[in-house]
Amino acid sequence: MQLVVARIGRAHGIKGEVTVEVRTDEPELRLGPGAVLTTDPAATGPLTIETGRVHSGRLLLRFAGVTDRTAAEALRNTLLIADVDPRQTPEDPEEYYDHQLMDLDVVLADGTEIGRITEITHLPSQDLFIVERPDGSEVMIPFVEEIVTGIDLEEQRAVIDPPPGLIDADQAEVAGTRDEAAGDEAAEGQAAESADARDGD
C-alpha cells in the first residue's frame, strides 16, 4: 500500500537541498537517508534520499542525483510516496495511518451519525477529516483530541465532541450498523431506480 509522506517545497541553497512539508508522524522512518520513494507525478521519481537535516524548524532533504538549485527547484510540489505494509501500524498506539481512518463512521457520543470519512487533509497546523454527510454534503472535522474523542477501529467508528457551530445537529441522524445502512441505501436505490456513485480512495 502507498502512503503520501511528504510534499517537496522550494529549493534551499545552491547544493540541491529542498524543504519538505512532512505528512507522516514517522519522518525518521519514512524520510531517512537511503529511503527510496515513488513520486506524484510518477515521472519525477523514484527518488532516493541522500541526506536530511532540520533547519529553522523545517526538514531539508537532498536526493541522489540532485546537485544544484535548478534541479532542486524542478522537484517543487512533488509528492513523496512510501510503500507500507497494510498490516503495519504506527509505534504510538494513539497515532493512525490514513488508510486506517478512511471510511470510518463519524458519530457523536450518543451514537448520532454525522457521516463517513472520505478524505484526510494534512495541514501544517493540524489534520482534517473530510466527512460526507448522509445528504451528500461535506463537513471538515479537525483531528484534534479535544474534538475527536475516540477512534474504535473494531467498530469502525470515530467518536467526536464538536464545538457549537461545527456541525448542524438537524442534519444528523442516528447511526445504524454498516449492513443496515447498506440495506437502506439499496432499498432507496431500487425505489428511485437510480444509484449515486461514491468517490473512492
Side-chain angles (χ1 to χ4, degrees):
M1 183 187 62
Q2 295 188 319
L3 296 177
V4 175
V5 294
R7 183 181 67 85
I8 297 176
R10 62 187 178 183
H12 178 84
I14 61 173
K15 297 183 179 180
E17 283 186 312
V18 296
T19 62
V20 294
E21 174 191 315
V22 177
R23 297 188 179 183
T24 173
D25 292 321
E26 301 172 306
E28 299 86 357
L29 175 64
R30 306 295 177 199
L31 299 170
V36 180
L37 303 168
T38 54
T39 60
D40 181 8
T44 305
L47 294 173
T48 301
I49 297 175
E50 197 168 77
T51 63
R53 65 188 180 97
V54 176
H55 175 73
S56 299
R58 297 296 300 272
L59 178 62
L60 303 179
L61 298 180
R62 180 185 289 116
F63 301 100
V66 179
T67 59
D68 58 38
R69 186 177 184 87
T70 300
E73 191 63 35
L75 298 176
R76 192 166 187 172
N77 293 323
T78 297
L79 297 178
L80 299 176
I81 303 169
D83 288 316
V84 178
D85 186 334
R87 297 168 296 180
Q88 186 177 353
T89 58
E91 294 181 1
D92 187 334
E94 295 186 0
E95 294 179 355
Y96 303 90
Y97 292 139
D98 286 6
H99 73 274
Q100 295 177 288
L101 302 171
M102 289 293 294
D103 206 38
L104 293 188
D105 290 321
V106 178
V107 300
L108 302 180
D110 63 3
T112 301
E113 181 181 13
I114 301 303
R116 186 169 296 180
I117 298 173
T118 58
E119 184 181 344
I120 299 168
T121 299
H122 301 277
L123 302 177
S125 59
Q126 64 187 13
D127 296 335
L128 292 175
F129 291 160
I130 307 302
V131 177
E132 183 177 307
R133 305 294 300 273
D135 65 359
S137 62
E138 291 184 339
V139 62
M140 292 184 292
I141 307 292
F143 186 21
V144 295
E145 61 182 356
E146 294 84 0
I147 297 176
V148 181
T149 59
I151 299 289
D152 189 332
L153 296 180
E154 290 189 3
E155 294 293 328
Q156 288 289 285
R157 288 186 170 188
V159 180
I160 66 171
D161 181 16
L166 182 63
I167 292 171
D168 296 326
D170 60 351
Q171 294 184 14
E173 60 185 41
V174 177
T177 65
R178 285 177 172 267
D179 291 341
E180 289 172 349
D184 290 343
E185 289 175 2
E188 291 173 0
Q190 290 175 356
E193 297 183 351
S194 63
D196 292 329
R198 178 184 297 273
D199 291 336
D201 182 9

